[in-house]
Amino acid sequence: MSDDYGYKVRRLESQTGGMEHELHSLRTKLGEVEDLDYELRDIRSGIRSIEDDLSTVRNDLTELDDDVRGDIQDTDQAIKRLTGRVQALEAHLLAAGGAPLADLDTTDPERKQLARTANHGWHVRSGLLPRHQREAHRLNIRHYEGAVEERDEHRDKVVEAAGILASQPRTSREFKQAAMDFGMSRTLAESHGQRAQKLAGPAQTAQAALAQDDTLRQAKASLIEQGDKAERKLNWLLRGTLADAIRDRALLPMWFVTVLGPVPPAHKTQEWMDLATQVLSYRVTYEITDQAVALGPAPAAYVPRRTEWHRELTKDLRRW
């Protein structure tokens, strides 16, 4: 009995020792987990710190970007002011040196008449259908004609298949193929026929619009041609006047110098001359006499050609 009891005690002691060992191991692992948790907390803290730093950097970059933009705008304004002073100084020097004054505003009756003829030709042309609208009408007509052509083609196939069905034995290969062709072609013919019906109205409207526009073009062709010729001649005369003033080193008007400078640029000279000629043409056409603003005030109400021309020239002048 005592031996059994001693054995059981030793066994319990052995099991208790094993449990103590496992408990120690678990405590060690828990300690490692706690250390790992501390490390994770440190990592999370570091990430938050980095995020805060990045946010600060972004804010600094935004402020720097705003400062740079402001500096660029200030520099542009300063350059414009300096350019204006240099141009004014050049004008005074030229005037003191006896340079002739370029007269770009005085227009003779011929030029005024050319401007009126060109302007009238433009208004006549504006009453015609523009190219993109004429093309849209033609496209509607082509769609309708294509649907009709497809419908008629499949109708012919239906008639052909019906002839074979009427003349060939039902058990023949030709009869079976014709039966298939008949059903398919009839379905397609009906489909394209319905499509043609839907397209018929827009096609008729398009045909009527093109016919009316063709008639109007024929009736107004002479006025449009006269307007085009008048515009070309007016631009030629104005360009010649400007070229003579530049050749003679004449003092250009302040309204001209303000937007285009006192002389043509060394690069894009042709583009500069074209734009300057258009500005002169605009002033002649609408009798602009403002000595400070090249194009004068924008039209208060929308006037098709004048408003669009003023807007286009204003945009182009910004590049110079």
Side-chain angles (χ1 to χ4, degrees):
M1 245 347 240
S2 60
D3 292 338
D4 291 340
Y5 179 77
Y7 172 75
K8 292 180 179 179
V9 169
R10 287 193 298 273
R11 183 178 180 184
L12 287 173
E13 290 176 348
S14 176
Q15 291 177 351
T16 302
M19 292 177 66
E20 289 178 350
H21 176 74
E22 291 181 2
L23 180 59
H24 177 74
S25 178
L26 286 173
R27 286 174 178 172
T28 303
K29 291 180 180 180
L30 286 174
E32 293 176 354
V33 169
E34 290 178 353
D35 293 340
L36 180 59
D37 184 54
Y38 290 143
E39 292 181 6
L40 288 175
R41 290 178 184 176
D42 291 339
I43 292 173
R44 292 192 185 99
S45 177
I47 291 174
R48 284 194 295 269
S49 176
I50 293 173
E51 290 177 343
D52 292 339
D53 292 340
L54 287 175
S55 178
T56 302
V57 170
R58 290 192 187 98
N59 293 332
D60 292 341
L61 288 176
T62 300
E63 293 177 359
L64 178 61
D65 187 45
D66 293 338
D67 292 340
V68 171
R69 290 177 182 175
D71 292 341
I72 291 174
Q73 292 177 353
D74 293 341
T75 302
D76 288 341
Q77 293 177 357
I79 290 175
K80 289 180 180 178
R81 288 194 297 269
L82 180 60
T83 301
R85 292 177 181 176
V86 171
Q87 291 173 347
L89 179 60
E90 289 176 343
H92 286 301
L93 290 174
L94 289 173
L101 299 177
D103 185 6
L104 302 181
D105 289 317
T106 302
T107 55
D108 54 34
E110 179 188 11
R111 298 188 183 190
K112 291 183 179 180
Q113 182 58 46
L114 289 172
R116 284 193 292 268
T117 303
N119 198 40
H120 181 63
W122 187 92
H123 283 293
V124 171
R125 188 191 299 276
S126 67
L128 303 176
L129 292 177
R131 179 179 299 178
H132 72 274
Q133 195 167 352
R134 286 181 62 88
E135 182 58 33
H137 286 317
R138 294 193 186 100
L139 187 61
N140 285 337
I141 295 173
R142 287 198 297 270
H143 286 166
Y144 169 72
E145 291 176 345
V148 171
E149 183 178 352
E150 291 285 346
R151 179 202 64 188
D152 293 343
E153 180 180 348
H154 289 293
R155 282 182 177 179
D156 291 341
K157 291 181 179 179
V158 169
V159 173
E160 181 181 355
I164 296 174
L165 293 174
S167 61
Q168 296 295 325
R170 298 176 62 88
T171 57
S172 65
R173 185 178 62 183
E174 291 81 2
F175 184 94
K176 294 178 181 179
Q177 182 63 46
M180 294 176 58
D181 294 342
F182 181 88
M184 182 180 297
S185 296
R186 184 176 64 178
T187 300
L188 291 173
E190 292 176 352
S191 175
H192 288 293
Q194 293 173 357
R195 180 167 170 264
Q197 289 180 354
K198 292 180 181 179
L199 296 174
Q204 291 175 356
T205 301
Q207 288 175 337
L210 288 176
Q212 182 179 2
D213 190 59
D214 289 339
T215 301
L216 188 60
R217 284 175 182 273
Q218 186 174 1
K220 303 295 185 180
S222 178
L223 292 175
I224 294 174
E225 184 179 1
Q226 291 175 16
D228 291 342
K229 288 182 178 179
E231 182 179 0
R232 288 194 296 270
K233 185 173 182 180
L234 177 62
N235 289 339
W236 178 75
L237 291 173
L238 294 173
R239 188 185 186 90
T241 299
L242 178 59
D244 291 341
I246 294 172
R247 180 198 61 198
D248 297 337
R249 297 186 178 182
L251 185 60
L252 298 171
M254 184 54 63
W255 63 260
F256 186 98
V257 174
T258 301
V259 292
L260 288 164
V263 293
H267 65 290
K268 297 184 178 181
T269 306
Q270 180 70 31
E271 185 177 346
W272 183 90
M273 285 292 293
D274 292 340
L275 180 57
T277 301
Q278 284 297 305
V279 173
L280 293 175
S281 181
Y282 180 91
R283 288 177 67 90
V284 173
T285 301
Y286 300 110
E287 300 180 356
I288 306 298
T289 58
D290 195 313
Q291 292 302 302
V293 183
L295 303 176
Y302 180 77
V303 182
R305 188 193 186 197
R306 183 172 181 176
T307 301
E308 294 167 6
W309 199 2
H310 187 283
R311 186 181 301 143
E312 180 181 353
L313 290 175
T314 300
K315 178 182 177 181
D316 291 341
L317 285 172
R318 292 195 187 103
R319 294 182 292 131
W320 300 97

